[in-house]
Amino acid sequence: MQLCREPDGVVKLDSFVVGSARDTNAASIAINEQRFAPNIKNIVSADALGDVMDGNVGEFLKGARSAYEMILMAFERGELASVKPFLSQEVYLAFLEVIEGRKEKGLSIDANFVGLAEIAVHEVEFDEASREADVAIRFLGELTSVVRDAGGEIVEGSLSEIKRQKDIWTFSRVMGSDDPNWQLVATGE
């Protein structure tokens, strides 16, 4: 580039091109989409999910949906034995406490899983040192449910009215381990 000073004191430069490259990775796009959303929205970049979900978010969510239905219905029925391998000790004991509380009161649940109105990845964490991945999934489940007393009378709910239930469940797994199953480690709304 050449500089040339004109007689009037103006400095004249040779022509040059200004260029830019927009560096947008998936995390930046996710942050901007979340920032400019018209309502509250959690966005997780696909890059954050790649290693954790073997690059296939759809298949992961399909498995999460199945786990949600299986665990939720086992809890409602008060039969945790079949799902115990998929529950952390803490979650298992919390579920067991609720089930035993119902039994002490002579209450039972009659529930049917209708489906999911919504399922979405809420949050993903990965600890590289331990290789442990935690994936929080937001569910909006639809089910019919009644609570019956010891005499079988309905004391709450309706078998014909579909109720929506919001849950955020966190599944955990050590990546690269021989066990391909995820374990439910936390529940919340």
Side-chain angles (χ1 to χ4, degrees), residues 55-67:
N56 194 333
V57 178
E59 283 299 313
F60 183 87
L61 290 176
K62 191 169 133 184
R65 183 224 180 272
S66 295

Side-chain angles (χ1 to χ4, degrees), residues 55-160:
N56 194 333
V57 178
E59 283 299 313
F60 183 87
L61 290 176
K62 191 169 133 184
R65 183 224 180 272
S66 295
Y68 180 75
E69 179 181 358
M70 178 180 68
I71 293 169
L72 181 63
M73 290 297 93
F75 171 74
E76 297 290 1
R77 287 189 310 270
E79 302 168 356
L80 296 180
S82 64
V83 297
K84 188 175 180 182
F86 305 105
L87 306 175
S88 69
Q89 184 68 9
E90 183 179 294
V91 170
Y92 174 77
L93 292 174
F95 282 6
L96 196 58
E97 184 177 330
V98 172
I99 291 167
E100 288 177 358
R102 288 191 306 227
K103 285 180 184 175
E104 287 173 8
K105 294 176 185 173
L107 301 175
S108 63
I109 306 287
D110 185 2
N112 292 302
F113 187 79
V114 175
L116 285 177
E118 181 182 335
I119 182 172
V121 176
H122 180 72
E123 186 176 15
V124 177
E125 292 181 13
F126 180 66
D127 182 331
E128 288 191 39
S130 67
R131 305 280 305 149
E132 186 170 342
D134 292 329
V135 180
I137 305 293
R138 185 178 63 247
F139 298 97
L140 181 55
E142 295 179 322
L143 56 144
T144 60
S145 176
V146 295
V147 178
R148 296 182 188 274
D149 64 16
E153 295 297 316
I154 295 175
V155 294
E156 183 182 316
S158 167
L159 283 176
S160 60

